[in-house]
Amino acid sequence: MSERLPTDPKSWSPQTRAIRSGLARTGFHETAEALFMTSGYVYDSAQEAEESFDGTRERMVYSRFRNPTVAAFEDRLAAIEGAEACRATASGMAAVHASLLCQLKAGDRLVASRSLFGSSQWIIDDLLPRFGVEREFVDCGDLPGWERALSRPTACVLIETPSNPTLEIIDIPAVAELTHRAGGRLVVDNVFATPVLQSPLELGADVVVYSATKHIDGQGRCLGGAVLGSAEFCNDVLGPYLRHTGPAMSPFNAWLLLKGLETLGLRVERQTANALALAQLLDGHPAVARALYPALASHPQHDLAMRQMRAGGTMIALELKGGKSAAYRLLDALHLIDISNNLGDAKSLITHPWTTTHQRLSVEDKLAMGIGEGMLRLSVGLEDIVDLTADLGAALDAAQG
Ligand SMILES: *Cc1c(COP(=O)(O)O)cnc(C)c1O
């Protein structure tokens, strides 16, 4: 660490942590974080190698276990999140997968929210049952359903809030309390809210997972993921699982993501301001059956959203009155906003969940999740709001036919 830190890092605000935490300058006194593209490390003596492996000496031995640039990303994200520890992974799915598999065993029970990222759904519905893990899904906003499902011993609960793509909100403190009473750990996929707008650990969750591919990179460059929680969980439960199964983040990606964290707050703030303006344009527009955005008073769970989120976020869902054909007319009339299934990017991106991200689901499952054929999911970017409003406005006119 630098020798002249002026203040106690623990007193820093999240924005300062996003710039300064995890910075460990080398002897070259460089300004920016160093990129250590190395798979291994060398020892000054045979004795040092032995001590590095028997645990008497704390140092890096192999980049599947630990790497300085990856560690800088982990330390910085942990500082922003207010978590004791963080472990980075190669992708968001590696983070979700490891956060669940590291703690589950045959005979355990897992409860999850019904609206989940498609691959998370696959892990729970297709993979876990192969290993004898029982699972149950609950609708996001159904508190009596959560109470019923968690009245039995449960090892682990996985939720996403706001959910993808319908932006349903789950009461994190309530589900955390029920989870703990059932003897389990609550894992929150916090991708949609980002660490800037929601702090699940403060709200009672035990573990937070991210796809760093989304807002943390936010510039469409690389994949990454992260799991955050107590030092005990990260070191003793998750640590061995990652070390021996190997979904390690590349140091190069860690370096990109580390730099991404520096501007995360600024980007999310501006994207959120843009999203609120577009949500207000959509709310009550004659082509739109419903606009779903947590900061709109018309959102069915607006009060809950504003209790646990600091703002409405960067994502909007809208259901067009004209169904799939209206949705396609809108998409094909856009000139600025790109048709893409990614999200959290500096570029505004829009997708038709029915035929893309959620295509794999049955019609019944889509409808149960509140996804209609006329639904679009808009990830609002950093473009000037004047240009975004003009592009979306003209496309809405086209959607009306
Ligand atoms: C994208 C995403 C993931 C998966 O992340 P990858 O980096 O694509 O593996 C998981 N959960 C949510 C909510 C996501 O949006």
Side-chain angles (χ1 to χ4, degrees), residues 90-94 96 117 119-120 160 164 189 191-192 210-214 223-225 342-343 377:
S91 69
M93 280 327 302
V96 173
F117 190 70
S119 293
S120 303
E160 262 179 60
N164 176 23
D189 182 330
V191 163
F192 270 43
Y210 287 106
S211 165
T213 317
K214 310 296 166 54
L223 299 179
N342 200 3
L343 64 94
R377 186 194 74 190

Side-chain angles (χ1 to χ4, degrees), residues 14-168:
Q15 180 55 32
T16 303
R17 293 173 185 207
I19 311 290
R20 294 283 175 173
S21 294
L23 180 60
R25 290 195 169 112
T26 74
F28 292 110
H29 311 290
E30 64 282 354
T31 307
E33 295 71 9
L35 169 51
F36 291 92
M37 287 302 295
T38 183
S39 48
Y41 307 86
V42 297
Y43 308 92
D44 284 337
S45 66
Q47 183 65 27
E48 187 183 339
E50 179 181 343
E51 289 170 6
S52 305
F53 276 79
D54 73 14
T56 50
R57 190 186 279 263
E58 178 67 42
R59 52 155 288 167
M60 305 216 179
V61 295
Y62 191 51
S63 283
R64 170 151 48 79
F65 313 159
R66 217 160 150 70
N67 169 280
T69 311
V70 177
F73 168 72
E74 292 169 336
D75 291 349
R76 186 169 290 181
L77 184 56
I80 296 170
E81 190 76 41
E84 284 178 12
C86 171
R87 293 299 174 105
T89 56
S91 69
M93 280 327 302
V96 173
H97 172 256
S99 74
L100 300 180
L101 270 287
C102 75
Q103 56 172 314
L104 290 168
K105 60 181 189 314
D108 277 349
R109 188 176 133 77
L110 174 141
V111 174
S113 49
R114 193 174 310 282
S115 299
L116 285 177
F117 190 70
S119 293
S120 303
Q121 189 122 31
W122 183 88
I123 288 173
I124 292 171
D125 233 10
D126 292 64
L127 183 66
L128 289 180
R130 293 186 212 167
F131 300 94
V133 175
E134 185 196 328
R135 81 283 192 211
E136 181 176 343
F137 292 102
V138 180
D139 288 328
C140 296
D142 179 13
L143 208 48
W146 287 105
E147 277 165 12
R148 251 191 327 276
L150 293 172
S151 62
R152 295 168 50 200
T154 302
C156 182
V157 174
L158 173 69
I159 62 173
E160 262 179 60
T161 179
S163 72
N164 176 23
T166 51
L167 300 165
E168 282 176 86

Side-chain angles (χ1 to χ4, degrees), residues 336-338 345-350 378-383 388:
L336 180 64
I337 301 170
D338 288 308
D345 202 90
K347 295 180 173 64
S348 294
L349 306 173
I350 191 165
L378 174 58
S379 168
V380 182
L382 285 174
E383 300 92 341
L388 287 175

